[in-house]
Amino acid sequence: MQFKPYAQGLAVAISLAVLAGCSSTGGTQDGSMDGTSGTGATGSGSASSQGMESGQGTSGSEMSDRNAIPEERTIYFAFDRDTIRPEFESVLEAHARYLKNHPNTDVVLEGHADERGTREYNLGLGERRAQAVEQYLNVEGVSSSQVEIVSYGEERPAARGHDEESYAQNRRVVFSY
C-alpha cells in the first residue's frame, strides 16, 4: 500500500486551508474597513472608492444601495451587560429597515468587550452582545441568514486607555457590511 503520496498531498492541502483561514482582510481597530470611525459618518465616496480599490465595479444602483447603509454602525453596552440600551434602539431599527429592504445584503456583527475579565470571558461577552443585536434584528424581521456573528472580546479595542471612558468605548457591537 502506498499511503505516503496521499499523506503528503493531504498535509499540503491542510496547510493551505489553515493559511487561507488565517489570512486577514485588513481593517482598523474599530472594525471599519475604510479607515473611518465605526461610530460616525463615513467619508463621501468611501463606499464607492473601497469597491473600486478591490477591483469591484459598482453600478449606479449598487452605489445608491451602499449609500443607504445607516451611518451610525456602533452600539454600546453597559459594564458586564449584553442588554440593548434604549438609546440605541433607533440605530438598530435603521439597520433592520436597511437589511429588510436589501435581502441580498449580509452584515457581520462584531462583538467587543473592555479589557476587564479573562480573555475567555470577554470573548463570550462579546458574542452574547452580538447575539442580542441579532435577536433584535430578527424580531424586526431581518432574516437570520443575513447576519453573521464574530466576537473579538478585548482583542480589538477602540480606545487604548485604562479608564472608564476608554472602557465604555470598547464595550460595543459594530455593524460591518
Side-chain angles (χ1 to χ4, degrees):
M1 292 197 197
Q2 293 184 344
F3 288 114
K4 191 172 185 177
Y6 296 115
Q8 289 174 340
L10 183 60
V12 169
I14 290 172
S15 299
L16 290 174
V18 168
L19 285 174
C22 293
S23 67
S24 174
T25 58
T28 62
Q29 289 289 327
D30 68 355
S32 65
M33 294 300 289
D34 61 357
T36 61
S37 170
T39 59
T42 58
S44 64
S46 64
S48 60
S49 64
Q50 182 180 354
M52 298 307 253
E53 288 172 7
S54 63
Q56 302 168 351
T58 55
S59 68
S61 66
E62 289 175 17
M63 284 179 57
S64 65
D65 285 350
R66 296 292 290 172
N67 291 336
I69 296 173
E71 289 183 359
E72 192 168 351
R73 297 186 190 178
T74 306
I75 65 166
Y76 296 94
F77 291 82
F79 173 69
D80 203 26
R81 298 281 187 256
D82 60 12
T83 53
I84 305 294
R85 291 167 45 187
E87 61 263 32
F88 293 106
E89 288 180 2
S90 63
V91 175
L92 294 173
E93 289 167 3
H95 285 281
R97 200 169 29 256
Y98 175 79
L99 289 166
K100 286 191 297 187
N101 291 333
H102 299 87
N104 293 327
T105 300
D106 296 334
V107 65
V108 177
L109 301 175
E110 301 173 349
H112 299 269
D114 62 37
E115 66 185 17
R116 297 173 289 184
T118 65
R119 182 177 185 273
E120 293 80 14
Y121 180 81
N122 288 333
L123 283 170
L125 181 58
E127 183 171 353
R128 288 192 307 275
R129 288 173 172 163
Q131 288 171 342
V133 172
E134 179 185 33
Q135 183 179 3
Y136 190 100
L137 294 174
N138 289 340
V139 168
E140 292 292 318
V142 175
S143 170
S144 58
S145 66
Q146 291 179 265
V147 181
E148 181 182 340
I149 291 177
V150 174
S151 177
Y152 292 112
E154 64 190 70
E155 302 300 319
R156 293 188 179 184
R160 296 251 180 226
H162 303 287
D163 56 7
E164 185 54 41
E165 184 178 335
S166 298
Y167 294 151
Q169 291 178 37
N170 293 332
R171 299 187 302 254
R172 69 197 191 281
V173 168
V174 178
F175 286 78
S176 181
Y177 288 92

